[in-house]
Amino acid sequence: MSGHFPGADMSDISPGGYDLAHRAGDHPLMRELVDKAYGEDHPGEVEPFSSCTWWTLGEMIQGLRLQPGEQLVDLGCGRGGPGLWLARATSARLTGVDFSPVAVELASKRAAHFVPEGRAEFRVGRFDETGLPDAVADGVISMDALPFAPDRQAAVIELHRIMAPGARAVFTISESSSADPDAKGHWSTWLGYFEAAGLHLERRVEDPGRNDRWFRLYDLWRRHEAELRAEIGDKATDALIEEADASDRLHKRRPVLLVLRRDALDRA
């Protein structure tokens, strides 16, 4: 949807728009099309509202290095799938934050399928104002979500605030090339945000297959437009087709996964 999936026009970002997107994304037909586009790379149980794959989940486990009982925070958690899967895999506690009340509602309903009662909670919040205590997170993830923060610098400062000393954050972004008019997404800009906030880059790895998976999904949306209109409605389908028609911008972006760390001696 416009502004609701990676690669879309980021000018239309609102809780109401994401409420619509998450309700549509919860539909069986939408999940079926994602599964077809991703094939064996798709972690079906997770039902991600993003470009999450088995590779992504493995990289997140490696990057986070969580211990049982530690606190994981998922920023822009959507319907909660990746965070819940990771919480189960690492025996961590999970707090998911999203500005869409519908996403929080859907994620809360899914929690019992992954972790025991009391191990996961979801709340409404923003990237720059999560409502979480200082230094609460032993690990943080943000799957295809952080670039949608209206103020990216403020979001990275908030990320540092909620991370405990020594904690790591793993998130995915699409870096803009120098030819892309979205200069805020250029790698040097992101690096400046991290350094200014006191976060150290530990790892940066490209995911060269991610754009191809999105192109396959866009093609499926177009081919199944009539079915989508019958199942999720005209408004949601119009937004999907609008995004698919604007997909050429992905050729100017490099999808990457980043691992950041707050210094263990940083007590600020």
Side-chain angles (χ1 to χ4, degrees):
M1 296 190 171
S2 179
H4 306 145
F5 292 88
D9 177 5
M10 294 172 61
S11 63
D12 176 25
I13 301 175
S14 67
Y18 272 87
D19 286 347
L20 177 67
H22 285 297
R23 289 198 189 282
D26 195 45
H27 195 280
L29 177 58
M30 290 286 286
R31 297 199 296 268
E32 177 186 340
L33 296 181
V34 173
D35 187 60
K36 285 183 178 180
Y38 280 46
E40 293 183 354
D41 293 329
H42 186 236
E45 182 186 17
V46 173
E47 297 179 4
F49 185 70
S50 62
S51 55
C52 182
T53 63
W54 288 118
W55 175 86
T56 314
L57 294 171
E59 290 290 328
M60 286 184 165
I61 287 180
Q62 178 183 353
L64 291 167
R65 305 185 196 181
L66 286 173
Q67 299 298 313
E70 290 189 326
Q71 179 67 56
L72 173 65
V73 172
D74 184 354
L75 298 179
C77 63
R79 293 182 294 124
L84 287 166
W85 189 93
L86 289 164
R88 184 180 64 189
T90 61
S91 297
R93 294 173 289 115
L94 173 67
T95 298
V97 179
D98 201 287
F99 78 159
S100 163
V102 167
V104 169
E105 176 188 352
L106 293 171
S108 298
K109 290 178 179 178
R110 300 183 67 197
H113 297 290
F114 288 86
V115 295
E117 184 177 357
R119 276 256 305 277
E121 65 162 339
F122 296 90
R123 60 172 66 190
V124 175
R126 304 197 312 263
F127 289 109
D128 61 347
E129 193 174 331
T130 61
L132 299 175
D134 291 351
V136 68
D138 301 297
V140 180
I141 63 167
S142 188
M143 183 71 216
D144 290 353
L146 193 62
F148 288 89
D151 185 336
R152 294 175 178 176
Q153 186 170 20
V156 174
I157 291 171
E158 176 73 351
L159 173 64
H160 175 274
R161 185 189 68 79
I162 67 171
M163 291 172 66
R168 290 175 172 84
V170 183
F171 61 91
T172 57
I173 64 171
S174 288
E175 297 173 357
S176 300
S177 70
S178 57
D180 195 307
D182 179 19
K184 291 195 303 180
H186 193 261
W187 169 242
S188 61
T189 306
W190 278 111
L191 192 59
Y193 294 154
F194 305 149
E195 292 174 348
L199 295 173
H200 309 292
L201 180 67
E202 281 199 338
R203 189 160 187 253
R204 172 184 173 274
V205 57
E206 294 191 21
D207 180 2
R210 186 166 69 171
N211 287 348
D212 289 339
R213 291 189 291 270
W214 276 103
F215 286 131
R216 290 196 296 269
L217 182 58
Y218 292 147
D219 182 59
L220 287 169
W221 286 349
R222 294 188 186 97
R223 286 162 49 192
H224 293 268
E225 180 178 351
E227 297 167 62
L228 287 166
R229 292 190 181 281
E231 297 292 338
I232 67 174
D234 288 334
K235 186 175 182 179
T237 303
D238 285 344
L240 294 177
I241 300 304
E242 180 184 350
E243 180 181 341
D245 289 345
S247 61
D248 282 350
R249 72 187 65 211
L250 290 184
H251 291 297
K252 299 178 181 179
R253 297 187 179 178
R254 294 183 301 270
V256 296
L257 180 143
L258 307 175
V259 181
L260 303 174
R261 185 172 183 267
R262 178 174 173 176
D263 197 298
L265 299 179
D266 178 7
R267 303 291 173 178

